[in-house]
Amino acid sequence: MTQYWPIPQHALTEDETTTFIADSLPVPGDTPLKPLPADALILLPMRNLVLFPGMASPVTIGRAQSVAAAQAAVHHDQKVGLLLQRDADMSEVRADDLHWVGTGGRILRYVASPGGAHHLVVQGERRFRVLEFLEGWPFMVARVSFIEDSDDGGAEIEARLLQLKHLAGEAIALLPNTPDDLLGVVQGMTSAAALADMIASFLEIQNEEKQAILESFDLATRLDRVLGALNARLAVLRLSKEIGDKTRKQFDQRQREHVLREQLRQIQKELGQDDDSGEELAALSTALEQAGMPDDTGKHARKGLKRLQRMGDNAAEASMLRTYLELL
């Protein structure tokens, strides 16, 4: 059973610069659509998106062919299929320029902006493989075969599912600004196929890697690919945390020293010590270092200097200790 997930927070929302146009598309609502074969899908080529089943994603389109496809799908309540381009820089694509495995789904929202961009939110439902591309429509259409997932894999699939949950939990803990309930969602999932697709969708990996996961019809192979990608990502997150912790510790130490010095300065000010006193102590420290006294005597003198630095000028012992150090 397909699991539906909330639209990501960065999905488009309506505001004063956009209008929802499900019933007012710039194509007449009564424009007839040439009937599609029962096993055919309207296709949307994607430059930089691999949509997975069960996931909702924002999509921006601008090519005339893609706009016509999306409008026809909305007007006539047709599902669409998203296919990744092999070369994201290509503007005009043909069948051979696309991967032939994609995800079919439904357009949940269609928003057009005054600047001419068209924004969709598409809900992925099922994997499909293209059987053949068809002619006769003003957009890309293909006959497809849908791929049904099965979680019946016994102990091996169950073991991979548990490992995937464990690694996903660690990744969630290391990532900043993750939703509070995301860990609970992950741990509560019982479908290995759905969890693999969800994690693959969120992973920061190359689109070709995501496409390879999408094309893994064998569930064990798909889980292994996702586990490998997640492990690689976790290595980066762990290193990032280690560097961050080390940097933070060094910063905290410097901050602590700065605060202590400032407190000492304020204390010395309250005790009547001024900058001249500090300069005198610095000069005395230099003189002691340059005196060439024996090691034991030098050690004793430096200890006395530290005591003097901690004292206020008004301390009863300060004058006597300063005179003693000057004598040395």
Side-chain angles (χ1 to χ4, degrees):
M1 178 178 179
T2 302
Q3 298 197 32
Y4 293 87
W5 299 94
I7 296 171
Q9 293 182 357
H10 58 278
L12 295 168
T13 58
E14 298 177 54
D15 56 30
E16 64 276 8
T17 63
T18 59
T19 53
F20 185 63
I21 56 173
D23 298 319
S24 58
L25 296 170
V27 171
D30 57 355
T31 301
L33 176 68
K34 179 181 175 181
L36 297 173
D39 60 350
L41 279 178
I42 297 172
L43 299 180
L44 293 174
M46 294 288 102
R47 296 180 187 270
N48 292 297
L49 172 67
V50 178
L51 180 66
F52 284 87
M55 303 303 298
S57 178
V59 177
T60 299
I61 57 176
R63 289 176 285 199
Q65 192 179 60
S66 295
V67 171
Q71 291 174 354
V74 172
H75 270 311
H76 301 282
D77 195 25
Q78 295 285 333
K79 294 185 178 182
V80 295
L82 274 61
L83 292 176
L84 179 67
Q85 293 181 199
R86 296 184 184 277
D87 182 354
D89 294 328
M90 293 188 66
S91 296
E92 300 296 329
V93 293
R94 300 178 181 275
D96 291 340
D97 301 321
L98 302 171
H99 291 276
W100 282 35
V101 173
T103 298
R106 186 175 298 278
I107 297 176
L108 300 181
R109 301 187 66 196
Y110 190 136
V111 179
S113 65
H118 296 254
H119 308 287
L120 319 174
V121 175
V122 182
Q123 173 73 58
E125 295 179 354
R126 290 191 293 172
R127 280 174 172 76
F128 68 84
R129 186 203 301 273
V130 171
L131 301 178
E132 65 171 326
F133 283 81
L134 305 176
E135 301 292 338
W137 288 267
F139 38 76
M140 302 187 82
V141 174
R143 291 180 54 247
V144 303
S145 173
F146 287 102
I147 311 299
E148 300 297 338
D149 275 326
S150 173
D151 284 313
D152 295 333
E156 291 190 0
I157 297 299
E158 181 68 20
R160 289 174 170 86
L161 174 61
L162 293 176
Q163 180 67 5
L164 197 55
K165 287 184 178 183
H166 172 72
L167 294 180
E170 183 179 353
I172 291 170
L174 291 173
L175 286 169
N177 304 320
T178 53
D180 295 336
D181 59 346
L182 183 57
L183 180 59
V185 171
V186 169
Q187 297 302 327
M189 294 183 67
T190 58
S191 169
L195 181 59
D197 286 341
M198 177 185 175
I199 292 174
S201 180
F202 288 140
L203 274 175
E204 294 183 14
I205 56 178
Q206 297 294 321
N207 283 327
E208 290 298 327
E209 293 181 72
K210 291 191 175 185
Q211 182 65 32
I213 294 172
L214 186 69
E215 294 182 5
S216 301
F217 300 146
D218 177 71
L219 182 54
T221 301
R222 188 190 313 163
L223 288 166
D224 287 342
R225 287 183 183 273
V226 175
L227 283 167
L230 184 54
N231 262 314
R233 183 60 182 161
L234 267 174
V236 175
L237 291 174
R238 291 173 187 138
L239 180 59
S240 177
K241 182 179 184 300
E242 180 181 341
I243 293 173
D245 290 345
K246 185 179 298 184
T247 302
R248 191 179 304 108
K249 183 178 180 181
Q250 293 172 347
F251 174 78
D252 290 344
Q253 180 62 26
R254 289 195 298 269
Q255 189 178 42
R256 179 174 179 271
E257 291 173 356
H258 172 75
V259 171
L260 289 175
R261 288 193 188 98
E262 181 62 22
Q263 289 176 340
L264 179 60
R265 189 182 71 82
Q266 293 297 331
I267 292 171
Q268 290 174 336
K269 183 178 180 180
E270 291 293 329
L271 294 175
Q273 293 181 328
D274 53 22
D275 293 339
D276 291 340
S277 176
E279 292 176 0
E280 290 177 4
L281 289 175
L284 181 57
S285 175
T286 300
L288 289 172
E289 292 296 330
Q290 295 175 352
M293 61 187 69
D295 291 343
D296 288 345
T297 306
K299 182 177 179 181
H300 180 71
R302 288 190 293 273
K303 184 177 180 180
L305 179 63
K306 288 182 179 180
R307 287 181 58 205
L308 180 62
Q309 289 171 334
R310 291 195 294 268
M311 293 180 183
D313 286 344
N314 296 328
E317 189 182 353
S319 178
M320 183 175 61
L321 182 55
R322 184 191 298 272
T323 302
Y324 171 69
L325 292 175
E326 288 175 348
L327 179 62
L328 289 178

